[in-house]
Amino acid sequence: MALLMVLVMTTGCSLFFKSDDEQTVEMKPVGLNTSLIPEQYLDIVMRAGNLCPEVSPEMIAAQIYQEVAGGNLDAKEWPTNLTSPAKAKGIAQFIDATWAAFGTDGNGDGKADVWNPYDGIMSMGVYDCDLVQYVDDYGSADIQSLILAAYNSGPGAVEYYRGIPPYAETQKYVKTIKKNMELLRTAVQGGPAGDFGARVVNEARKQLGVPYRWGASSPKTNKSPGAFDCSGLTQYVLGQLGVKVARTASAQIMSETPRRIAAKDALPGDLVGFSRDGSMKGVYHIAVVVNSTDIIEAPKPGENVRVGKLSWYENKTKFFVRYTGPAAKDGAGGAKVAPLKGATLTNGYHAPGPYQDPQGHTGIDLVMKKGATVGAPIKAVADGEVYQAAYTGSYGNEVIIKHGAKLYSQYAHTLRFTVKKGDKVKAGQVIAYIGNSGTNTTGAHLHFEIRTGPRYGDDVNPSEWLKKNGLSYG
């Protein structure tokens, strides 16, 4: 129910499957599983779910399922004429006061009608994004859970309890939606280079349903359905992420900018080009890799951007390439990954306590959600060079990695590290294991910092850095 409240999102758990060569391959949930959304609402869900970084299409879809079907993903329809005992109305269950503040015209007919499902879904996205400002200060839960709690019980309750209120209805509401968000995500093959690739897939998904037109590279908007040809789609998607690529399919494959990838090593977000004559110059069609079987493509005249199958091009020679993210202002380009897998935050940035810095905690503290924390593997968050790997007193066994001109990451209190000064490391490479070393620690955890330089005091907010790179704590 939409009271005056808040919402957000997190990354999901991983799945595993056996590839053709019997190797176990990690599958990361990325993007909305469009098969679980009523077709007439897919476009508006995608639009509402991309209004701000904290909200996602799967979050909007899970909220709607909760509001109209009690969280039952088997529901075939989304009722639009519901009124709750609290007088919440429509598909997004807005009460009158909240609708008066946040009601939005979602279908372009010039009015905001609480009973119009398109208006209701878009208004949910608008309201969710507004709620972020009310719950962003409470680190007791992830931001999306706090937004959901505020949507159900009001932002005042979240503020009063400094987290998710202890109301049975609210806690069930949050738990059910978060679970359904995982079920509404599509599993795609992941790996150390997969984080930028996941963003590529998500950008491509936003254009599903756009018509094919040769020579076109225009996205859909509120005023236009847009149009793409195959290379126009890939050029636009990568351009949205700050990567400039050539205009034609063969040039995108032949460019010196991307890295050439073997088919068995392809990851989500890589591009695959199809050639009739077996040469790169002969590449006539290009698409975004989703997983080991699926692609997103603008196929041909008369059809729309769709999720297709690699098997449809079985008789064509395939070339795979990987573009990486542009260098940031800190000088660090390439993929970014979370330092731990399955981690949760126990102590935030600048939290008060017995720290040397007068502003408080200079990093964030992470432990494992499940299983033993001691010995859990720690990963480098980006490509770089080990600046330091040594015992340093209060930080214990610590590793500092230089990633760019103004980006360093620090991993402290480790049990042991597996790298030495001067080593070149890749994003996702295991560099250490969680421990409890050092003179300023009270239990096993990872103390993680992002810095503009290698020294103490160069710290910046690591939670914000992770968020800007599309990452959670792990």
Side-chain angles (χ1 to χ4, degrees), residues 231-253:
S231 57
L233 173 65
T234 50
Q235 183 188 50
Y236 174 80
V237 165
L238 287 166
Q240 288 298 101
L241 299 175
V243 179
K244 294 181 179 180
V245 301
R247 181 60 181 87
T248 66
S250 59
Q252 290 176 12
I253 292 294

Side-chain angles (χ1 to χ4, degrees), residues 22-348:
E22 292 301 308
Q23 292 183 337
T24 299
V25 179
E26 184 177 1
M27 300 284 282
K28 291 185 177 181
V30 174
L32 180 66
N33 185 342
T34 56
S35 68
L36 295 177
I37 310 302
E39 184 176 357
Q40 67 269 37
Y41 299 132
L42 178 57
D43 179 72
I44 195 71
V45 167
M46 297 298 292
R47 287 167 50 202
N50 285 290
L51 291 175
C52 64
E54 293 81 5
V55 177
S56 66
E58 57 266 29
M59 179 176 168
I60 294 293
Q63 277 186 271
I64 296 296
Y65 268 113
Q66 182 65 28
E67 298 291 359
V68 304
N72 178 17
L73 298 184
D74 291 329
K76 303 300 182 184
E77 302 290 338
W78 285 358
T80 63
N81 60 348
L82 300 177
T83 300
S84 77
K87 306 300 182 184
K89 302 172 181 176
I91 196 169
Q93 290 289 276
F94 275 92
I95 61 173
D96 290 342
T98 311
W99 183 261
F102 296 98
T104 302
D105 177 15
N107 65 345
D109 65 359
K111 59 183 179 180
D113 181 359
V114 72
W115 299 109
N116 182 300
Y118 301 94
D119 295 354
I121 293 170
M122 182 59 72
S123 299
M124 174 180 280
V126 170
Y127 186 37
D128 283 354
C129 290
D130 184 79
L131 288 171
V132 173
Q133 63 183 305
Y134 297 100
V135 301
D136 203 28
D137 293 333
Y138 306 114
S140 59
D142 66 270
I143 185 71
Q144 285 186 326
S145 292
L146 292 168
I147 292 175
L148 291 166
Y151 199 95
N152 180 260
S153 62
V158 173
E159 181 177 9
Y160 179 82
Y161 288 103
R162 303 188 66 81
I164 299 174
Y167 309 148
E169 177 187 336
T170 300
Q171 293 191 352
K172 181 179 179 181
Y173 183 90
V174 173
K175 182 178 180 180
T176 302
I177 291 176
K178 292 302 293 295
K179 177 182 178 181
N180 281 342
M181 284 172 63
E182 301 298 336
L183 297 175
L184 283 163
R185 289 189 176 103
T186 298
V188 300
Q189 184 178 337
D195 295 288
F196 177 75
R199 295 169 62 199
V200 174
V201 172
N202 281 334
E203 285 295 329
R205 284 189 177 280
K206 294 177 186 178
Q207 303 306 322
L208 290 173
V210 172
Y212 179 98
R213 188 173 77 241
W214 187 84
S217 57
S218 302
K220 58 185 173 184
T221 66
N222 290 339
K223 298 181 179 180
S224 170
F228 288 110
D229 63 11
C230 66
S231 57
L233 173 65
T234 50
Q235 183 188 50
Y236 174 80
V237 165
L238 287 166
Q240 288 298 101
L241 299 175
V243 179
K244 294 181 179 180
V245 301
R247 181 60 181 87
T248 66
S250 59
Q252 290 176 12
I253 292 294
M254 295 173 66
S255 169
E256 295 180 359
T257 304
R259 180 156 60 98
R260 282 153 184 75
I261 304 297
K264 64 181 180 63
D265 298 322
L267 293 173
D270 291 344
L271 302 187
V272 55
F274 305 94
S275 174
R276 291 190 180 94
D277 64 8
S279 71
M280 285 188 180
K281 190 174 182 179
V283 168
Y284 70 98
H285 184 55
I286 195 164
V288 175
V289 174
V290 176
N291 55 37
S292 58
T293 60
D294 298 335
I295 56 175
I296 295 177
E297 62 175 345
K300 59 184 178 181
E303 297 193 19
N304 300 334
V305 175
R306 66 185 181 185
V307 176
K309 297 293 183 183
L310 274 170
S311 60
W312 294 345
Y313 302 92
E314 186 174 358
N315 62 336
K316 308 299 182 190
T317 303
K318 302 174 185 65
F319 296 97
F320 294 83
V321 296
R322 177 171 302 155
Y323 286 85
T324 55
K329 293 181 180 179
D330 53 28
K336 308 294 191 300
V337 302
L340 285 176
K341 179 178 177 176
T344 188
L345 180 73
T346 60
N347 205 13

